[in-house]
Amino acid sequence: MAWMAIEDLVELPLTPDVYENFSKIATLLDRERPHRTTAIEKRLLAVNNLVKKNDRVFYASENPCALSRQQMFLLKELACLRGIPTFRVCLHTDDQSDIHEMVMVHTAPTSVGPLKQRKTSLSYHVFEGSLTIKRHDEVGCVLSEQVIGEGKPSQSPAVSVRLNATEFRSVHSTSPYCIFLEVASGPFQDSDTVWLDLQS
């Protein structure tokens, strides 16, 4: 047994009951010091060789870059502590990379899109939770739906799907949280993304 700061837990091997509920434990143990999340984040970034672009985007500082299940959950729990609904960890080191691999995390059921991109490839791979991916036509009508990840006990849904990046799609996490990998061809620039305006 030993005394330690809450951020020291980041580097210890933990049981799933601990790392899957880290935000609740941290809140319970540190109620009088809510800004302790900065120390937790600093340790997580150091352990995983990550650099912070903003509260919702992190990049690998070097390759190889490896994330364990525990570290993915601890990053998710950090977002929960801060009330951040979505964020991503880019396993590539910069926007000019030919392949972009992004661990996407939704801390609550969330919908993104419809959008499309000027890309040659795009795929999704679910680690935890469930996603519904919808294909849309140019006016927003749903063409098809694909559920990937965890389904009902009677189902055996796919865990990966490859899409045509130049078609409109929307991504809906339908579980309490969802951790998935998005892989797309690079490089990246904001102008490559086209959002469908459903208000017009």
Side-chain angles (χ1 to χ4, degrees):
M1 298 181 67
W3 289 103
M4 62 189 68
I6 188 69
E7 62 269 21
D8 292 338
L9 293 178
V10 167
E11 296 189 65
L12 297 177
L14 306 173
T15 65
D17 282 346
V18 174
Y19 65 70
E20 290 181 12
N21 296 282
F22 185 78
S23 61
K24 297 174 185 175
I25 296 169
T27 299
L28 177 66
L29 296 180
D30 226 7
R31 281 180 177 164
E32 296 183 6
R33 290 181 289 175
H35 302 295
R36 198 60 181 265
T37 54
T38 301
I40 296 171
E41 177 187 75
K42 185 177 180 180
R43 188 69 62 87
L44 274 168
L45 297 184
V47 168
N48 291 289
N49 294 321
L50 299 175
V51 292
K52 179 180 179 179
K53 180 177 180 180
N54 54 53
D55 280 345
R56 296 181 60 249
V57 181
F58 303 88
Y59 280 84
S61 60
E62 59 184 277
N63 288 137
C65 178
L67 281 178
S68 67
R69 184 178 188 275
Q70 173 173 312
Q71 294 303 321
M72 284 192 291
F73 266 89
L74 288 174
L75 287 164
K76 186 265 288 186
E77 291 294 291
L78 175 64
C80 289
L81 280 168
R82 290 180 160 167
I84 297 171
T86 66
F87 75 94
R88 69 179 183 267
V89 178
C90 300
L91 302 181
H92 49 285
T93 57
D94 60 67
D95 288 344
Q96 300 310 307
S97 299
D98 291 334
I99 301 296
H100 286 205
E101 297 162 299
M102 298 158 284
V103 176
M104 314 290 285
V105 181
H106 293 183
T107 62
T110 305
S111 295
V112 178
L115 73 158
K116 64 179 180 180
Q117 290 152 326
R118 299 181 184 93
K119 301 283 185 181
T120 58
S121 66
L122 174 73
S123 62
Y124 293 94
H125 315 270
V126 173
F127 295 132
E128 299 281 343
S130 181
L131 281 181
T132 297
I133 299 175
K134 300 179 181 181
R135 293 172 53 245
H136 301 261
D137 64 17
E138 296 292 320
V139 295
C141 295
V142 175
L143 299 174
S144 67
E145 292 187 15
Q146 174 72 56
V147 177
I148 61 173
E150 301 167 3
K152 298 177 181 177
S154 61
Q155 297 177 330
S156 181
V159 294
S160 299
V161 63
R162 181 163 174 149
L163 302 174
N164 181 349
T166 61
E167 290 184 336
F168 280 111
R169 69 190 183 275
S170 59
V171 177
H172 310 266
S173 53
T174 55
S175 46
Y177 62 86
C178 191
I179 303 174
F180 58 100
L181 180 69
E182 179 179 325
V183 182
S185 56
F188 170 81
Q189 52 187 9
D190 287 333
S191 59
D192 286 338
T193 301
V194 179
W195 295 86
L196 184 61
D197 184 6
L198 298 178
Q199 303 301 316
S200 57

